[in-house]
Amino acid sequence: MNAATLEAALAAYVERGEKRLVEIIQDLVRIPSENTPPIGAEARCQRYVAEFLSKLSLEPDVYSPDDVPAIREHPLYFHGRNYVNRRNVGARKKGAGRKNGIGQARSLILSGHIDTVPQGSQSWTRDPFGGALEGNQLFGRGSNDMKGGVGTNLFVLEALAGLGLQLAGDLIFETVVDEEFGGANGTLAGRLRGFNADAAIISEPSFLRICPAQRGGRTAHILLETTQASGVVLGAGAATESVIDKLTLFLVKAKEFAAQRRGRVRMHDLYRSHLDPVPVSITKVFTGPWGPREPIGIPARCRIEMYWQTMPGETQQEVEDEFFSWLDSVVADSEGLFKERPQASFPMRWLPGSAIPRDEPVVSEFARCAASVLGQTPSITGIEGPCDLYVFQQGFGIPAILWGAKGGNTHGPDEYLEVDSVVKAAKALLLFVCRWCGVLGI
């Protein structure tokens, strides 16, 4: 079998196995694994993964992040999470350790997080954990982020066994807990556990783009208050102090903060094509309970959640210094509306931006595999949001990229995965695994 014959055999296997690929993803979606910090419910889904690996004669290592020695002292560890009954799963498919004519004897990690965001309180039109398949769309919480990717990784392992292929280099599989809500302790635990390699593919939904970079992210909770108790003021000429005036000014100033960042921040090459490389968003505004059971009143308190993204290279210190300097300027420009700086806190960990160059072998070689499947070279760009990519790249010097299928409504109701794109993603990934790790007997 030559290289062309192997590539054709891999593509044919994935096409024949589309139903099986979808079935694996549906199985995962139908097992809830919601992350609700500081706890999470990933256990049952991880049992499914461990049993899947055992059926392939692999030996799953099932372990809690807190069982890993010295993890709590590591600078990337995020304190305040509870890992009772929350375990990572890892397995190593040992390679023969010999170079071959097809590919090289290099090691590779296929990584994915098993946790999802919660179902949420918004209305779904499908069962969030039903895995409904409607035409080209597979619905359910986590279908796109990222059980589609985890299912693809499991399918690739199954394909190697089904095709009887022996790799030259080690192939490592892992599913980690607690990635959502700025977690990443599960990802850190995998590295400290020894599941490391020459490169890594993280199966986030990249929309069939190769993403060697992630933006960073910072979330702030800001409290606006007045000295007056909430309620309706009765009586002619009574002065009314409302937090709404402060909120109005704050929202205007938030737009100025966004413009300031767009003008100041040095854009990374992998983000130059993005319409807004460093977006600033107001994600929540809360002044009190809603509905006819609540009295009408003028609010005295307002809580705001503000989320902004950062470029690779920006440090936590400079990002926070810029934020507090801007917040002080809001007070200074308020003409007495603010007497002092509003209270602000950071409820989630600092997530740094991170990137590797376009000419890294894992990027260029994956691009050739994807081009062979897609018929054209895929876009090589930075992904829009933060994830755990930085743990590999910055924490452990492992060249890593994001690769996955297309979908929609991510983190929202009626989240879905596009089946035709996950088939393409699987073809490219399987081909890359064989080329990167090398296949014996070819």
Side-chain angles (χ1 to χ4, degrees), residues 105-363:
R106 294 171 293 189
S107 56
L108 181 69
I109 305 165
L110 302 182
S111 181
H113 64 84
I114 202 66
D115 62 313
T116 71
V117 297
Q119 170 186 340
S121 59
Q122 297 182 65
S123 297
W124 289 64
T125 63
R126 287 98 173 164
D127 182 351
F129 306 108
L133 185 62
E134 300 178 15
N136 189 46
Q137 296 177 323
L138 193 166
F139 289 89
R141 173 55 80 227
S143 56
N144 194 45
D145 182 19
M146 56 177 290
K147 290 181 175 179
V150 170
T152 299
N153 293 346
L154 290 171
F155 178 82
V156 164
L157 290 175
E158 193 171 81
L160 294 171
L163 290 164
L165 298 176
Q166 173 65 54
L167 299 179
D170 289 2
L171 180 63
I172 294 167
F173 168 93
E174 70 174 5
T175 45
V176 300
V177 299
D178 193 31
E179 188 272 349
E180 298 289 1
F181 298 101
N185 287 339
T187 308
L188 173 63
R191 313 289 68 75
L192 295 176
R193 190 75 165 183
F195 289 114
N196 298 312
D198 296 318
I201 310 296
I202 304 171
S203 298
E204 288 280 3
S206 70
F207 282 61
L208 298 178
R209 304 170 301 169
I210 297 171
C211 296
Q214 67 165 70
R215 287 194 284 220
R218 202 64 175 126
T219 301
H221 285 177
I222 300 130
L223 177 64
L224 307 182
E225 293 184 288
T226 66
T227 56
Q228 178 176 297
S230 60
V232 174
V233 177
L234 302 177
T240 303
E241 183 185 4
S242 171
V243 78
I244 300 303
D245 296 328
K246 293 184 177 183
L247 173 61
T248 301
L249 177 64
F250 184 91
L251 295 177
V252 170
K253 292 296 184 180
K255 290 184 177 181
E256 294 178 6
F257 180 63
Q260 171 186 313
R261 284 191 50 74
R262 285 194 297 271
R264 184 193 66 78
V265 176
R266 181 180 178 183
M267 295 306 148
H268 190 279
D269 175 63
L270 289 166
Y271 286 95
R272 293 191 184 280
S273 63
H274 290 233
L275 292 177
D276 188 356
V278 284
V280 176
S281 304
I282 303 298
T283 51
K284 294 185 181 75
V285 176
F286 184 81
T287 60
W290 183 275
R293 292 184 177 274
E294 298 295 330
I296 295 173
I298 298 169
R301 292 164 58 92
C302 177
R303 286 179 289 169
I304 301 168
E305 184 175 85
M306 183 173 173
Y307 172 63
W308 68 105
Q309 295 185 329
T310 68
M311 281 289 98
E314 289 192 88
T315 67
Q316 179 178 358
Q317 187 67 55
E318 66 182 338
V319 166
E320 292 179 5
D321 285 350
E322 179 186 37
F323 169 73
F324 283 117
S325 176
W326 165 77
L327 203 54
D328 285 337
S329 75
V330 173
V331 175
D333 295 343
S334 71
E335 297 183 349
L337 187 61
F338 288 96
K339 306 300 182 186
E340 57 187 18
R341 178 202 285 175
Q343 295 180 37
S345 61
F346 301 116
M348 299 182 194
R349 77 183 307 156
W350 157 249
L351 291 167
S354 187
I356 57 173
R358 293 173 182 266
D359 59 1
E360 277 281 352
V362 68
V363 179

Side-chain angles (χ1 to χ4, degrees), residues 32-45:
S33 54
E34 295 171 293
N35 189 346
T36 53
I39 62 173
E42 301 99 332
R44 194 157 64 94
C45 209

